[in-house]
Amino acid sequence: MSDKPHDYCGIFGIFNSDDAAINTYYGLHALQHRGQESAGIVTSWYDPAKGFPTMPTHKDFGLVLNVFNDKSLFKNKLKGTAAIGHNRYSTAGSSTNPANIQPFRAHLKGGNLALAHNGNLTNARGIRQRFIQEGVLFQSTSDTEIILHLIARSQETDPVEQIMDALRQVTGAYCLVILTDTQLIAVRDPNGFRPLALGRKGDAYVVASETCAFDIMGADYIRDVRPGEILVIDRNTVATGEPQSRFLPPQPGTGSSGCIFEYVYFSRPDSRIFGESTDKVRRRIGQFLAKEHPITSFLRTKGGKQPVVISVPDSSNTAALGYAYENQALGHDCRFEIGLIRNHYVGRTFISPGQEMRDLRVRTKFNIVRGVLEGRPVVIVDDSIVRGTTSRHLVDMIRAANPTEIHFLASSPPVVEPCHYGMDFPSPGELIANRYDRDVVRIAEALGVDSLHYLSPHGLVAAVKDANAADFNYCTACFTGDYPVPVTTGVGKEENELS
Amino acid sequence: MSDKPHDYCGIFGIFNSDDAAINTYYGLHALQHRGQESAGIVTSWYDPAKGFPTMPTHKDFGLVLNVFNDKSLFKNKLKGTAAIGHNRYSTAGSSTNPANIQPFRAHLKGGNLALAHNGNLTNARGIRQRFIQEGVLFQSTSDTEIILHLIARSQETDPVEQIMDALRQVTGAYCLVILTDTQLIAVRDPNGFRPLALGRKGDAYVVASETCAFDIMGADYIRDVRPGEILVIDRNTVATGEPQSRFLPPQPGTGSSGCIFEYVYFSRPDSRIFGESTDKVRRRIGQFLAKEHPITSFLRTKGGKQPVVISVPDSSNTAALGYAYENQALGHDCRFEIGLIRNHYVGRTFISPGQEMRDLRVRTKFNIVRGVLEGRPVVIVDDSIVRGTTSRHLVDMIRAANPTEIHFLASSPPVVEPCHYGMDFPSPGELIANRYDRDVVRIAEALGVDSLHYLSPHGLVAAVKDANAADFNYCTACFTGDYPVPVTTGVGKEENELS
Amino acid sequence: MSDKPHDYCGIFGIFNSDDAAINTYYGLHALQHRGQESAGIVTSWYDPAKGFPTMPTHKDFGLVLNVFNDKSLFKNKLKGTAAIGHNRYSTAGSSTNPANIQPFRAHLKGGNLALAHNGNLTNARGIRQRFIQEGVLFQSTSDTEIILHLIARSQETDPVEQIMDALRQVTGAYCLVILTDTQLIAVRDPNGFRPLALGRKGDAYVVASETCAFDIMGADYIRDVRPGEILVIDRNTVATGEPQSRFLPPQPGTGSSGCIFEYVYFSRPDSRIFGESTDKVRRRIGQFLAKEHPITSFLRTKGGKQPVVISVPDSSNTAALGYAYENQALGHDCRFEIGLIRNHYVGRTFISPGQEMRDLRVRTKFNIVRGVLEGRPVVIVDDSIVRGTTSRHLVDMIRAANPTEIHFLASSPPVVEPCHYGMDFPSPGELIANRYDRDVVRIAEALGVDSLHYLSPHGLVAAVKDANAADFNYCTACFTGDYPVPVTTGVGKEENELS
Amino acid sequence: MSDKPHDYCGIFGIFNSDDAAINTYYGLHALQHRGQESAGIVTSWYDPAKGFPTMPTHKDFGLVLNVFNDKSLFKNKLKGTAAIGHNRYSTAGSSTNPANIQPFRAHLKGGNLALAHNGNLTNARGIRQRFIQEGVLFQSTSDTEIILHLIARSQETDPVEQIMDALRQVTGAYCLVILTDTQLIAVRDPNGFRPLALGRKGDAYVVASETCAFDIMGADYIRDVRPGEILVIDRNTVATGEPQSRFLPPQPGTGSSGCIFEYVYFSRPDSRIFGESTDKVRRRIGQFLAKEHPITSFLRTKGGKQPVVISVPDSSNTAALGYAYENQALGHDCRFEIGLIRNHYVGRTFISPGQEMRDLRVRTKFNIVRGVLEGRPVVIVDDSIVRGTTSRHLVDMIRAANPTEIHFLASSPPVVEPCHYGMDFPSPGELIANRYDRDVVRIAEALGVDSLHYLSPHGLVAAVKDANAADFNYCTACFTGDYPVPVTTGVGKEENELS
């Protein structure tokens, strides 16, 4: 996909490791694609000098590599054998308030607690307003702080009971990693919107949004944290090899509903999420796309030069490969090629030119390989089309290489609705599909291509289920408007921020 | 004084000024001596784009000049005609938590509220522990946040009533400036521990810890905020010229108890505090010191070269002048001289040398003027002696100029007890008077001087009262252990910090 | 290639453009892969306020996007219609001296001159030592400054004559862009070691190390600057459409000798260098590799699962595609796959772990796609093998996915000799081929692969010439030790640095 | 003085000290008042790893405490037993070129050489232009680099001979500290414009612009470096206790001409320069001011309240004391008082207000002590009046305290001419004395005072010579236009800057 929806967050936790903080650093680095605006690590450490348990913390705006650029942090500050970490994407405006950087940490009556969250609550607005009436002070605009207040105010005494108490009051999408003075607790909402996996490295237990965080440190995947599961890892777990589990009740009227966009775009291809390799699923999506829209179905000139199938690197590489090879398997002549080169040095600080060179931001990210495209039919496979701006510019660049025809395929349906479970799409009116009344011919025209083809919602789900045998359902709300959990959020999120 | 106790804080507020924020900036700059670790300004601004009142905020670690080094801040961000500001000294450890930087800001059920505080609560620990039991989250380790929680949780609906409700529950020393969406509120605790003055510049009202903040902007002093007064300035005040006043009940069993150390050391000599010019009071203290310890009472060699009276610049300049001129008035030959030069470029980043040059930190701050000291009796007048380390190094430097004798006079009694009302002294065991059993002869020996003389507690109070005719009493607890308000604080202040 | 030799530099120049500086910025961004440690731009501007021509300059350590992160630079500082720019890789140690950042600028007797250089002089040491004897001061350790001194000291009066005078005295590899107050001059050494292309955008002329810098701004490629050519672009060129050319005499006993490593690794695949598309040449290299080492020649298990050909992204993508498709064309069953994922967020600030996790630096850059590799023969095609460390770690990671066999192919011969023309290889003793006596079996063993195959020097040159029909020869010294220009450089480069 | 001319520079050197670099750091800190824009240290160290002598260097823009804020610099980088250092004031414009930060360092044919300079050459322009014609490249706009080129190009082989050779070709004001691989060389121009002192601490030799740099480290003053002296300190000096001396020929037609402004304003009162204590000289200047302008000569109201004599702290403290006590000695009733308070936190980043509060910059630096000034005659003693702006604002502030009359005395004559020997005054037209035709009555009116009195040129020289018995003459050109060394400098200094 070229106009990315904003990633949400990556979370990581580790228990019983002599290198807890530095492994968290590596894990967060592997999860960097899930959030680039801030990063943080909290460890649990019994400080003998103080005589009580502490939670050393380091967090700041920036990429993981920049926030943690001082080796002495790990030696001198982030001590202890358990840690949690968080990568965050922050929406415009909130990014200037450092109070929003996670993990959050608090001292509760029972001891220290730190918490990191990936997702979005659907009843946050109501709880927040009620709390303000009661005189509760908020320091951030994050939903996460609501969970923290609920835990702090619970009448229960055991941390796990407090957490259950709190989570029974919230609805929506959330994966949590929580650190207490003696436990690492991982939680996934009853619908399982967001992925969360459990792994192990030697005697250490790890949890992470994606398994690529396990690979970087050589940890093994055990299983996913289950929808609604509150998984508690403590000294007893280390001794017995068995984490304890509690389960939250299902959100009324719904079953599982994993975010299918994770498979379409968000997750790294080398990760296993919802129990299955993203690469495998994404390739199957490409194959189903080939079945729905074989190359022969739209190619104008038959018998000309061999068509080339290209991806928009790197996000649609796998789907494009799946599409090309499936076409070949179906007997349709074509070849996968690298027709676009991605610049590795793209950053946020790019200075935009004036009106005359509006496509330059895209040109700083991508360039064409003219020899691959010239004089041939070109089939672009992208993972999704959101705003369409980048796609249009890419098509223009490709057109300049004089291909005989250009076709654009999306390995997902048109994005037409907002996500209320943590994904930050542009407003509905900015979505290209909506701007052209969801009329594929007009969208194709707007993109400047000879034809445009989307994978159908049914085809997408079928592909995912074909690749992933698990008994698990998916949320496709951004394509279909079919929201598994009702939403009561609204404006006014920023109205109580203590600073 | 050479080993300063840490200053506490400076606070400032302004209402009905087109230049509210920049005047606050100037005011904080004038109050810089009261806190050098962080600075912040909050304004009240009805944002027409948003359609509701906001409180733009800018605050950071650093000196005022560094925190506010971007002119556009005042134009583009800190809009509005009312503002409050705060300079803060933060004790070791807490200085790394940006959540402790004041003013604090919160959205309460009735609207926005911002608050800046100078002082120390004596029942903070109990309230904090109770709140934690109830599930209240703290983001800072500051007493100030306790006041904010108390206000937020008040059942009252009017902000002034909420504030009164909150303050009835706390004891100790506090001056507050509070901004609501329509008011500037200034509060001084019933004992009046810390100074707070009311002023006016044209149609604008100002409040500040010291009147030097009025002078920098050309505002006129009206009167002090009275002990226990809750002074409310709003549009009505502007129209009528009359602030409204409410009063808190006195803290049981006590009357007024202004911090006498303000006159001894803290306040700038060009400020008027507790209703009287610091310079005048400090000079009177020097005169009373001359009466208690005239130069003839300790000078060994009579009839030798004229003795020189020197100050430790700049804090004891006025007292030294008062001492010298009173001696002259009493017919004792002596001369005020500048025998120590203070380096203007001293900063926090100084790199200390090894063991061999332990006095070098003092040498980077001060140097002697040899010609002034050589071959004469030297009388050093300092405002106070706390840890004694700097004093000892200064004496060594002066000794190197070969004076005939060296006498050390403190324009205050020995510091022997901790302050519970906001002043950050070293622990009692580190105080030089305690290390030598409050034995003046032994302390003199430790300092390396021929004789040492302190102003008596009675003399200090008498001098202050002689200069300041107001019906007002003073706290001398750090000299006498006589605490006007009982104390229940203790350890554990940092135990609930949300971050 | 996984252990990259250090890139040298990218240079860019533009004449007669209203957006000279910002286009240079875009050009340098496209050339970022040629040098990541510093960037600089110099423009030529007649300052009416001063009444004489100036050369505004901005340069610093960092990536182009970071050095130029302030839009006002282009509006207010880097004015003028002509500009040159430079990206630099600086070898360890010199990177702390800002005096080494190019372009260099000087005021000569005839006016201003700025110069940027890509390459390495072979007689620098002798000239430098002679100059030091004569009392010439050097401010940098760069060869480039030698050229500047030679120009400044020339007895000629015309800048082009001064430049010719200077360059007749140097030998080695150099591409230069030079700005005078009225001209843009582009120079390529008589052997043509480094690429340099001429382009045009409307009435503006551009020169750049690679044509990808033209694509980013929509400029058209005209032709290469020829070996030995001194190409002068001025107002006359704009009027007539004809740059003037002068030619340097050939370096004795040699013809053309373009750096073949540009095609193997350095240049971007979307660039045209030495007159031909890098992608086309690199693909042909992959094809020739398939002819020399077809997959059937080393595959142990015949008739098993289909072998996968993978690249080390992104540098060997094209060669791997060429290899895979040529094998298919030859009837050998295999499939190109993406088996390694490259992390986009790798940076210089990575904190290395201890001994136990030595491969972690590689893991932060790459991860495997297990499903692609498991249970199959895996053929890795990399562009070159230098130190071998990264290759070894990649093989270990791939091995963990349980492929049936692993074969490693390099699309170039073993690197065994140093480069004296600008490429910064490790010392010969660190090269893996030398560490194992250039014995392919032992190197394969060291890498942990089942077999290892290098493209032969003859095969490499044949592939390049097959793809690029131009009458042009190549330097293969790093593979063969056959140096086209003799070398007199040695140690001691840093011995005269004015700072 | 309130509108300071810009300080020039402070230089320091040390030989044979185990703590060479850190002592240089302390010395530069003591000399901070002589230059606040950049600081640098170069040491001489035989690096056993390299096998040859090196000159580690650290320098940057900023105050000494900020440039050297990393203790490891001294341990790990600035090794060796000899060092030189420099504080620099840089004029507007040049301050953005880091190449101008001293000390300069070069590798000459005989070895390394580093050089730091305080002063200004009067024939720099001619030499620079000749050099440019010869093809010499300049990297800075500093006169100091001219000296370095002259040394480098000398045909002599011995460093001391090379230095003599170079300095015979320059005229003007210069003090130099030079480090070679085996020597510390201190040079003072034949006129002795700038001060330079020799000291000793144990076996280490030190040289510094002012002796306050000796005091900070406990070194003893030996003597001044003599006008024209080239003083060489090496291992032989350490062994014998005798530095070697060479002497430059006098500049034609002139004798000694020490800058009298050093005594008036620049030097710290605790320094001994030109062989005598600045405090003593400055006090004598105050006494001579009292003789020329006794308080009775201008006081309007006789028999009223006692007049107070105040200084503008801290620069005129000593002169004001001298003035007040001499008046008392003459029987004129008056009292020295502290009527102005100086803010310690003033910095460069102050944000100026708009038109309406133009005096605010002064108010951020100074405040009045109302009680001292009210209802009395006030006599302000300042060291000098340059632009007059600050003086005017101070008078306004004092006037607001309602003194009965205000008189302004300058302890130096009106500044009316430029300095060509290193002091950076405003242009002649900006000098208040010139703006009012050197008419004291009009200047007094412009300052808003009841009367204004300058010390006469003759009185100033007489005071200095009365205090300093040495056979030494002074430059008074800025007061009299009597230039001891002719000047050929002019515009165009920046025309050859290599960067």
Side-chain angles (χ1 to χ4, degrees), chain B residues 125-147:
Chain B
R125 184 167 162 72
I127 300 176
R128 182 177 282 260
Q129 284 181 332
R130 174 163 56 82
F131 276 5
I132 290 173
Q133 288 306 316
E134 292 176 14
V136 171
L137 296 175
F138 284 82
Q139 69 162 299
S140 75
T141 54
S142 160
D143 284 2
T144 315
E145 193 180 355
I146 290 173
I147 300 176

Tab-separated table of all heavy atoms in Angstrom, chain B residues 125-147:
chain	number	residue	atom	x	y	z
B	125	ARG	N	1.765	13.705	53.447
B	125	ARG	CA	1.954	12.269	53.426
B	125	ARG	C	0.665	11.510	53.710
B	125	ARG	O	0.307	10.559	53.022
B	125	ARG	CB	3.019	11.895	54.450
B	125	ARG	CG	3.379	10.433	54.469
B	125	ARG	CD	4.666	10.243	55.284
B	125	ARG	NE	4.813	8.852	55.681
B	125	ARG	CZ	5.125	7.880	54.837
B	125	ARG	NH1	5.296	8.147	53.565
B	125	ARG	NH2	5.244	6.636	55.264
B	126	GLY	N	-0.063	11.965	54.720
B	126	GLY	CA	-1.302	11.301	55.080
B	126	GLY	C	-2.330	11.370	53.965
B	126	GLY	O	-2.981	10.371	53.629
B	127	ILE	N	-2.471	12.546	53.387
B	127	ILE	CA	-3.464	12.700	52.317
B	127	ILE	C	-3.102	11.821	51.126
B	127	ILE	O	-3.943	11.126	50.556
B	127	ILE	CB	-3.553	14.176	51.873
B	127	ILE	CG1	-3.971	15.070	53.045
B	127	ILE	CG2	-4.542	14.320	50.721
B	127	ILE	CD1	-3.980	16.555	52.709
B	128	ARG	N	-1.828	11.847	50.779
B	128	ARG	CA	-1.382	11.052	49.634
B	128	ARG	C	-1.670	9.563	49.860
B	128	ARG	O	-2.182	8.874	48.982
B	128	ARG	CB	0.122	11.293	49.406
B	128	ARG	CG	0.712	10.566	48.217
B	128	ARG	CD	2.181	10.936	48.026
B	128	ARG	NE	2.347	12.242	47.389
B	128	ARG	CZ	2.613	12.404	46.092
B	128	ARG	NH1	2.785	11.341	45.306
B	128	ARG	NH2	2.738	13.601	45.570
B	129	GLN	N	-1.355	9.082	51.058
B	129	GLN	CA	-1.572	7.660	51.329
B	129	GLN	C	-3.051	7.297	51.281
B	129	GLN	O	-3.425	6.255	50.747
B	129	GLN	CB	-0.956	7.298	52.684
B	129	GLN	CG	0.570	7.191	52.556
B	129	GLN	CD	1.233	6.822	53.864
B	129	GLN	OE1	0.717	7.123	54.936
B	129	GLN	NE2	2.387	6.176	53.778
B	130	ARG	N	-3.869	8.183	51.803
B	130	ARG	CA	-5.305	7.929	51.749
B	130	ARG	C	-5.780	7.893	50.303
B	130	ARG	O	-6.528	7.018	49.884
B	130	ARG	CB	-6.037	9.027	52.541
B	130	ARG	CG	-7.555	8.963	52.458
B	130	ARG	CD	-8.224	9.787	53.558
B	130	ARG	NE	-7.809	11.189	53.569
B	130	ARG	CZ	-8.319	12.147	52.783
B	130	ARG	NH1	-9.269	11.837	51.897
B	130	ARG	NH2	-7.892	13.388	52.855
B	131	PHE	N	-5.317	8.843	49.524
B	131	PHE	CA	-5.716	8.899	48.115
B	131	PHE	C	-5.285	7.644	47.361
B	131	PHE	O	-6.024	7.108	46.541
B	131	PHE	CB	-5.109	10.132	47.440
B	131	PHE	CG	-5.914	11.382	47.635
B	131	PHE	CD1	-7.046	11.398	48.447
B	131	PHE	CD2	-5.561	12.559	46.993
B	131	PHE	CE1	-7.791	12.559	48.620
B	131	PHE	CE2	-6.302	13.723	47.168
B	131	PHE	CZ	-7.416	13.716	47.983
B	132	ILE	N	-4.080	7.191	47.605
B	132	ILE	CA	-3.608	5.992	46.915
B	132	ILE	C	-4.504	4.807	47.275
B	132	ILE	O	-4.856	3.994	46.406
B	132	ILE	CB	-2.133	5.718	47.270
B	132	ILE	CG1	-1.266	6.798	46.613
B	132	ILE	CG2	-1.710	4.325	46.814
B	132	ILE	CD1	0.181	6.760	47.018
B	133	GLN	N	-4.896	4.730	48.518
B	133	GLN	CA	-5.817	3.662	48.903
B	133	GLN	C	-7.130	3.750	48.125
B	133	GLN	O	-7.744	2.740	47.801
B	133	GLN	CB	-6.126	3.728	50.411
B	133	GLN	CG	-4.976	3.309	51.306
B	133	GLN	CD	-4.438	1.934	50.963
B	133	GLN	OE1	-5.191	0.998	50.739
B	133	GLN	NE2	-3.120	1.807	50.875
B	134	GLU	N	-7.518	4.972	47.796
B	134	GLU	CA	-8.776	5.149	47.069
B	134	GLU	C	-8.607	5.005	45.558
B	134	GLU	O	-9.577	5.120	44.817
B	134	GLU	CB	-9.343	6.559	47.370
B	134	GLU	CG	-9.793	6.718	48.812
B	134	GLU	CD	-10.244	8.145	49.095
B	134	GLU	OE1	-10.455	8.915	48.133
B	134	GLU	OE2	-10.363	8.500	50.291
B	135	GLY	N	-7.378	4.767	45.125
B	135	GLY	CA	-7.178	4.558	43.690
B	135	GLY	C	-6.890	5.822	42.905
B	135	GLY	O	-7.034	5.830	41.687
B	136	VAL	N	-6.473	6.860	43.593
B	136	VAL	CA	-6.103	8.073	42.871
B	136	VAL	C	-4.693	7.903	42.309
B	136	VAL	O	-3.797	7.422	42.993
B	136	VAL	CB	-6.158	9.302	43.818
B	136	VAL	CG1	-5.564	10.530	43.149
B	136	VAL	CG2	-7.587	9.538	44.260
B	137	LEU	N	-4.540	8.278	41.046
B	137	LEU	CA	-3.218	8.192	40.419
B	137	LEU	C	-2.515	9.536	40.546
B	137	LEU	O	-3.101	10.582	40.293
B	137	LEU	CB	-3.360	7.836	38.949
B	137	LEU	CG	-3.962	6.470	38.645
B	137	LEU	CD1	-4.152	6.307	37.143
B	137	LEU	CD2	-3.095	5.354	39.191
B	138	PHE	N	-1.246	9.494	40.908
B	138	PHE	CA	-0.431	10.696	40.960
B	138	PHE	C	0.552	10.679	39.797
B	138	PHE	O	1.121	9.649	39.472
B	138	PHE	CB	0.344	10.764	42.272
B	138	PHE	CG	-0.508	11.165	43.439
B	138	PHE	CD1	-1.288	10.229	44.103
B	138	PHE	CD2	-0.535	12.486	43.849
B	138	PHE	CE1	-2.081	10.610	45.175
B	138	PHE	CE2	-1.329	12.869	44.926
B	138	PHE	CZ	-2.111	11.924	45.590
B	139	GLN	N	0.712	11.835	39.193
B	139	GLN	CA	1.709	11.857	38.134
B	139	GLN	C	3.008	12.495	38.591
B	139	GLN	O	4.018	12.364	37.931
B	139	GLN	CB	1.191	12.596	36.908
B	139	GLN	CG	1.024	14.074	37.102
B	139	GLN	CD	0.943	14.788	35.774
B	139	GLN	OE1	1.840	14.757	34.960
B	139	GLN	NE2	-0.187	15.406	35.538
B	140	SER	N	2.966	13.201	39.695
B	140	SER	CA	4.172	13.877	40.157
B	140	SER	C	4.422	13.501	41.596
B	140	SER	O	3.624	12.835	42.242
B	140	SER	CB	4.010	15.395	40.050
B	140	SER	OG	3.162	15.868	41.074
B	141	THR	N	5.555	13.925	42.118
B	141	THR	CA	5.859	13.712	43.524
B	141	THR	C	5.658	15.000	44.299
B	141	THR	O	6.083	15.106	45.442
B	141	THR	CB	7.315	13.245	43.679
B	141	THR	OG1	8.146	14.193	43.011
B	141	THR	CG2	7.507	11.877	43.071
B	142	SER	N	5.009	15.955	43.677
B	142	SER	CA	4.883	17.272	44.263
B	142	SER	C	3.658	17.369	45.174
B	142	SER	O	2.596	16.819	44.888
B	142	SER	CB	4.750	18.285	43.135
B	142	SER	OG	4.183	19.471	43.584
B	143	ASP	N	3.808	18.126	46.257
B	143	ASP	CA	2.672	18.425	47.134
B	143	ASP	C	1.559	19.130	46.364
B	143	ASP	O	0.375	19.025	46.702
B	143	ASP	CB	3.108	19.371	48.252
B	143	ASP	CG	3.899	18.644	49.317
B	143	ASP	OD1	4.137	17.436	49.153
B	143	ASP	OD2	4.277	19.298	50.295
B	144	THR	N	1.980	19.873	45.373
B	144	THR	CA	1.036	20.686	44.623
B	144	THR	C	-0.064	19.834	44.007
B	144	THR	O	-1.225	20.248	43.924
B	144	THR	CB	1.808	21.428	43.518
B	144	THR	OG1	3.003	21.959	44.072
B	144	THR	CG2	0.974	22.512	42.893
B	145	GLU	N	0.309	18.637	43.571
B	145	GLU	CA	-0.697	17.797	42.938
B	145	GLU	C	-1.778	17.383	43.940
B	145	GLU	O	-2.928	17.168	43.575
B	145	GLU	CB	-0.044	16.559	42.306
B	145	GLU	CG	-1.009	15.841	41.375
B	145	GLU	CD	-0.398	14.616	40.726
B	145	GLU	OE1	0.814	14.376	40.919
B	145	GLU	OE2	-1.146	13.885	40.044
B	146	ILE	N	-1.387	17.273	45.207
B	146	ILE	CA	-2.395	16.939	46.229
B	146	ILE	C	-3.474	18.018	46.263
B	146	ILE	O	-4.672	17.720	46.305
B	146	ILE	CB	-1.708	16.809	47.607
B	146	ILE	CG1	-0.853	15.536	47.603
B	146	ILE	CG2	-2.743	16.778	48.741
B	146	ILE	CD1	0.000	15.376	48.832
B	147	ILE	N	-3.049	19.285	46.227
B	147	ILE	CA	-4.026	20.383	46.225
B	147	ILE	C	-4.935	20.268	45.000
B	147	ILE	O	-6.157	20.448	45.095
B	147	ILE	CB	-3.297	21.747	46.252
B	147	ILE	CG1	-2.436	21.863	47.515
B	147	ILE	CG2	-4.295	22.899	46.159
B	147	ILE	CD1	-1.596	23.132	47.586
